[in-house]
Amino acid sequence: MNTFDDLRTPVAFLRSQSPHITHLSELEAEQQWWKRDGLAISESVDRAGTPWVRMFDRLGKRVDEILYSPDYWTMLKKGYRAGVVWRAFEEKSLLPTYEFMHTISFYDPGVCCPYTVSLGTAVPLAKYGSPQLQSRFLPQLLRKDDAVWQGATWMTEIEGGSDLGAGVKTIARPAGEACLLTGEKYFTSNAGAELAVVAARPEGGPAGVRGVALFLVPHYRQDGTLNYFIRRLKDKVATRSVPTGEVELKESEGYLLGSAEAGIYLVLEVLNLSRVANSVVAVALAQRAIADALTYAECRRAFGKRILDHPLLRHQFEQRRKGLADSFALAWEAVRLLNEVWMEKAPYSERYHLFRLVAHLAKYWTAEYAVDTAKWAMEVHGGLGTLAEFGVERWLREAMILAIWEGTSHRQVLDGLEVMERKHAHKLLFRELAGIAPAHELRDLEADLAQHLALPLDEKEAAAETMFRRLALFVAKHLATRNQARFSTPPASPRALSS
Ligand SMILES: Cc1cc2nc3c(=O)[nH]c(=O)nc-3n(C[C@H](O)[C@H](O)[C@H](O)COP(=O)(O)OP(=O)(O)OC[C@H]3O[C@@H](n4cnc5c(N)ncnc54)[C@H](O)[C@@H]3O)c2cc1C
């Protein structure tokens, strides 16, 4: 076996990086299905481009149905049945969810978006929904068969997604048990979902983020008519295996989750789930890009030998492999911490603030790494890399979206700074790293970070990315070293256990 063999399949890589896979045989079955059937479906969905919305049925009734091929539904429902959402609740752990996401997104990064937003709907419903709402909707989202309901998480409006305090204009007016929501959501992934969580402003509430609350909005009203309307689907460069639309809410029935005052915390909790998913998907995508580059470099010859055997390229493969292990370690630290805190409600623990910092570092760095690696994998293919039929250009298109949605890289850097300033999360992080990273390196970084945080606001923000990138790389590198040490430690012998 050469040193790159574990890069060729998602499950082999998961096993090489983590000794504790929760559902090995199920993941292997999933991988088999993707190799046999899923790959071809995914390629055809990507090549076919944006599906159509059929707005009216034959009798002129408004239906807003998305016209995907039956194969698409087979691919999508496969993951739900395998347990990408229901296992989180049944097993009270997010580890299976994210392990499935790594496996699936190696083949199709976009299809993990519906799973992520369905989880992002089920979790706030389970945490904050009234018993009536839970019994009406939760079992549908957790079904194990093809009748499973899908969720969606719609916050962004045309005025902008980064500044939700200014951007959310949708208004919620009380109407008995429910509220009536009116407004337009400009980016709505998984349009057509049976249920969505939607950010809106309760009428008469404060301006800014404090006035934003989270509502549960079903596809159909109590009387069976459409509750929201799909205006059109976006013609996107990638993530074509999730329909992203534009949705109009017209006095749509919505149910407040939690309290209006705590709404922005609920929005951030939804984003926690999707930012961690994004990090896991970005790592799997980078793995896939390296795997494709490897396959190509083993066949293509130049100057009398395989291009893989030229020292410059071999060295680059080794560097990519190391970078991948570091990115994996960072993403999965975010998974592990989220798994500890995902059921917390405000006021949050110290571990929650530590999680938030690690999640910002992971979302930022893994997406940047995926974009860079996808670009490099195209270069390894030379001119052929630019041709759609070779498939590798898709990874760059997909990676670009990972760096933007769920909050751009800029947002991760600035939110990361905020959690360090307000909650001193970096101090908790350095405490975690003590004993893993050399003490003098930790001291130097902590001192530089403290100096950075003390800068005047404009200067601090202007230079933030350099500092944040350094922190992300440092944390990723040392977590990866720790993981490798744990992985290579043999299990204690019976004698050692008894002594
Ligand atoms: C394919 C796709 C699907 C999506 N699906 C959904 C969905 O289902 N639900 C949903 O709610 N949203 C969705 N989005 C929206 C996504 O979350 C936003 O695009 C993203 O958060 C950025 O918002 P924006 O596009 O409005 O950019 P803007 O907020 O207008 O930002 C423009 C640029 O300015 C930068 N910027 C903003 N503020 C600052 C600052 N203070 N300092 C420095 N730079 C700054 C941003 O980083 C960005 O580079 C989707 C987006 C895409 C591309």
Side-chain angles (χ1 to χ4, degrees), residues 400-470:
M400 277 310 303
I401 290 185
L402 296 180
I404 291 172
W405 67 9
E406 315 306 351
T408 60
S409 292
H410 305 137
R411 218 37 276 154
Q412 305 311 314
V413 171
L414 295 174
D415 288 356
L417 276 195
E418 189 195 76
V419 75
M420 289 194 262
E421 275 186 311
R422 290 212 186 154
K423 305 293 177 187
H424 309 290
H426 54 304
K427 294 194 187 297
L428 306 174
L429 181 59
F430 286 130
R431 221 189 288 156
E432 292 283 308
L433 291 173
I436 300 174
H440 69 281
E441 285 185 27
L442 269 175
R443 257 197 322 273
D444 290 351
L445 183 56
E446 199 168 356
D448 290 350
L449 200 48
Q451 216 173 4
H452 186 92
L453 292 175
L455 288 171
L457 184 63
D458 282 4
E459 231 178 293
K460 182 166 43 193
E461 288 200 4
E465 187 170 10
T466 312
M467 191 70 235
F468 203 70
R469 176 181 289 251
R470 184 177 152 201

Side-chain angles (χ1 to χ4, degrees), residues 204-349:
V209 283
R210 296 276 159 206
V212 174
L214 197 65
F215 293 85
L216 197 65
V217 176
H219 196 167
Y220 298 100
R221 295 175 195 278
Q222 296 265 29
D223 67 8
T225 56
L226 275 184
N227 195 29
Y228 66 76
F229 301 90
I230 304 172
R231 294 222 298 214
R232 56 177 172 155
L233 291 185
K234 307 291 187 191
D235 190 1
K236 300 175 288 179
V237 295
T239 64
R240 288 172 177 157
S241 35
V242 54
T244 300
E246 221 172 285
V247 156
E248 209 174 343
L249 301 154
K250 290 198 249 186
E251 304 231 306
S252 305
E253 288 171 4
Y255 304 93
L256 179 67
L257 291 173
S259 70
E261 297 71 40
I264 191 61
Y265 293 113
L266 272 66
V267 171
L268 290 176
E269 287 178 19
V270 170
L271 281 171
N272 288 340
L273 294 159
S274 56
R275 286 173 176 169
V276 171
N278 203 87
S279 309
V280 168
V281 170
V283 173
L285 185 152
Q287 187 203 336
R288 177 62 191 272
I290 300 172
D292 284 3
L294 181 63
T295 305
Y296 185 75
E298 286 170 334
C299 304
R300 186 71 165 182
R301 297 180 73 80
F303 301 100
K305 53 185 174 184
R306 304 183 313 169
I307 59 172
L308 179 63
D309 295 331
H310 287 285
L312 174 59
L313 216 50
R314 180 162 280 274
H315 175 71
Q316 287 188 356
F317 270 100
E318 278 156 9
Q319 291 301 106
R320 287 284 154 194
R321 190 188 199 314
K322 193 180 165 318
L324 186 68
D326 293 356
S327 301
F328 179 91
L330 185 56
W332 283 78
E333 190 66 9
V335 170
R336 271 186 284 273
L337 287 167
L338 179 61
N339 207 33
E340 283 180 33
V341 302
W342 64 301
M343 280 297 167
E344 276 192 23
K345 296 178 178 177
Y348 301 110
S349 69

